[in-house]
Amino acid sequence: MTSREPLGQRGRLAAAVVVLVALSGLLVGYGALGPDPTENRYPGVETVGPDPDGYVGDPVVLAGQVTDTDPVTIRFGHPDGTGSVVVEGVDAAVLNRDRPVETGDNLAVFGTLVASDTLDAERAIVREPWENLYMYVVSALGGFWVLGRFLDEFRFDRTGYAFVPRDRRLSKRAVRRVLAGRGSAPSDGARGEPAEAGEGGDR
Amino acid sequence: MPDVLAHVLVGYALGSVLAARYDRLTSAHVSLVMIGALSPDFVKIGMVVPGPRIEALLGIPFDWMPLHTLGGSALVVAFGTLLVAPGMRKRTAALLAIGAGSHLFLDFLLLTPSGYAYPVLFPLTASQPPAPNLYLSTDRWPTVVAAVLAVAGWFVRSRSLRANRG
């Protein structure tokens, strides 16, 4: 699997730098774009939060946690602190629930900022607090699955400075060790784990 | 789709079907599709290091969003491809791209507050197309569907492995 670098390691490094510079260019370039309703890009909490007066009369997307239901009020964090708005007409605007909004719900609202502290809701999405937690847990699970498979099936080849598939798969136990942060993955030549009694917590 | 697990399950399903079809592909190649399927969610790095904080730090505009668009995703795939050995780069690029493409497509279908999807084609255009609004990132059923597809993919692949052995 150790075929030659077509452009040498220097050429490869140069290619990687070009890719990363181009990517940075995209991240900066997109950051330089302001909100633009003609491109369906609406300001969010990080833009509106520090300067709500500047967006009165504009369509915005604000998301936050419901702190009160009479009237419905959401609070959100932004770069300069926290802000809150009263959301009008939210129950009719909610797209994904039939029940009224409750305190503690996470609410994402598209609408017009009719005053610096009032949002006239047009479309809204409600999530219960556990739903976000569920998503994080399940997402972490997906991430660790992929990481585990990657460690199991690839190794870093120090002569070619590149990842290559392992010839033999790591033992499940070795993967657990690497994931737990103890020791690094053995390279192909090394044997997996000497099965010493008393080591490891799986018995 | 929604959560990372659903994307990765779809990546597993796609990779498994490809591996069943093309004998040269191993489970390492299935993993490459899964990594690709996860890669647009590198944008979630913004939950740890928010874009505005980087703007304040560097004094220049900055937004992680392009990682979750056509152009940014293509560059991430290109970078990942450079990390593997030369002999497997073409295949790696293709497999990562299939995974990343599946992610971008499934997220295009999401239900959003504004009714518009993310800027899918950036940097070709920063415009956000109308979203089909099919599901939420917190919905459970897409993940269940993805899991069923993954099991089906596993079944197809193990049958082809058995057929090869026999």
Side-chain angles (χ1 to χ4, degrees):
Chain A
M1 193 48 84
T2 37
S3 47
R4 279 274 176 73
E5 274 301 330
L7 303 169
Q9 290 297 359
R10 260 191 214 164
R12 179 178 172 220
L13 184 66
V17 170
V18 167
V19 168
L20 290 182
V21 167
L23 186 57
S24 308
L26 290 190
L27 302 183
V28 172
Y30 192 80
L33 299 175
D36 181 354
T38 66
E39 293 200 319
N40 308 319
R41 187 168 56 257
Y42 303 100
V45 288
E46 66 286 352
T47 317
V48 178
D51 177 29
D53 292 325
Y55 295 92
V56 173
D58 290 353
V60 298
V61 179
L62 299 182
Q65 197 169 39
V66 177
T67 55
D68 197 349
T69 54
D70 189 23
V72 172
T73 307
I74 59 170
R75 195 173 56 190
F76 44 83
H78 59 74
D80 292 352
T82 59
S84 70
V85 291
V86 170
V87 186
E88 289 177 342
V90 67
D91 284 331
V94 168
L95 300 164
N96 64 324
R97 286 283 190 288
D98 289 330
R99 64 159 178 78
V101 170
E102 289 169 12
T103 303
D105 282 344
N106 291 296
L107 193 60
V109 189
F110 172 72
T112 307
L113 201 62
V114 290
S116 64
D117 61 352
T118 312
L119 179 61
D120 184 15
E122 195 175 309
R123 292 166 58 96
I125 292 170
V126 183
R127 289 188 175 101
E128 291 171 37
W130 71 266
E131 291 185 291
N132 281 338
L133 183 69
Y134 157 84
M135 190 175 61
Y136 296 143
V137 169
V138 160
S139 293
L141 218 77
F144 280 118
W145 182 23
V146 174
L147 182 63
R149 283 185 66 111
F150 180 72
L151 293 174
D152 188 25
E153 289 159 347
F154 288 85
R155 67 181 177 86
F156 191 72
D157 169 35
R158 271 174 241 180
T159 54
Y161 302 105
F163 289 100
V164 295
R166 285 179 194 281
D167 298 334
R168 215 175 339 137
R169 306 186 79 200
L170 264 186
S171 70
K172 292 242 155 59
R173 199 168 149 189
V175 171
R176 270 205 297 277
R177 258 177 74 101
V178 173
L179 281 175
R182 285 170 289 154
S184 57
S187 60
D188 261 4
R191 212 169 302 139
E193 289 291 311
E196 283 168 22
E199 206 206 322
D202 54 351
R203 90 179 47 204
Chain B
M1 263 174 201
D3 52 74
V4 174
L5 181 61
H7 284 299
V8 166
L9 284 166
V10 169
Y12 178 86
L14 288 172
S16 297
V17 169
L18 286 171
R21 172 74 181 73
Y22 302 101
D23 292 343
R24 287 158 303 170
L25 300 185
T26 66
S27 62
H29 296 104
V30 177
S31 294
L32 288 174
V33 181
M34 294 167 73
I35 292 169
L38 177 147
S39 65
D41 270 347
F42 290 157
V43 73
K44 297 289 186 312
I45 206 171
M47 292 171 75
V48 185
V49 191
R53 194 183 297 168
I54 294 181
E55 289 191 335
L57 206 72
L58 301 180
I60 52 170
F62 191 90
D63 198 320
W64 291 111
M65 189 63 214
L67 288 176
H68 196 288
T69 64
L70 180 69
S73 205
L75 290 171
V76 169
V77 166
F79 186 76
T81 300
L82 284 169
L83 293 180
V84 302
M88 61 181 298
R89 284 202 188 130
K90 254 187 206 158
R91 203 173 281 174
T92 299
L95 295 170
L96 289 176
I98 287 168
S102 75
H103 184 125
L104 294 176
F105 174 71
L106 292 171
D107 274 5
F108 165 64
L109 304 179
L110 283 171
L111 172 63
T112 67
S114 71
Y116 294 100
Y118 66 96
V120 186
L121 297 180
F122 184 78
L124 301 180
T125 170
S127 185
Q128 299 178 218
N133 289 307
L134 288 191
Y135 40 70
L136 278 175
S137 56
T138 41
D139 277 347
R140 271 74 64 195
W141 69 261
T143 313
V144 174
V145 172
V148 169
L149 291 176
V151 170
W154 172 83
F155 184 76
V156 168
R157 175 149 187 255
S158 48
R159 211 181 47 177
S160 101
L161 285 177
R162 265 201 309 275
N164 284 347
R165 236 178 271 137

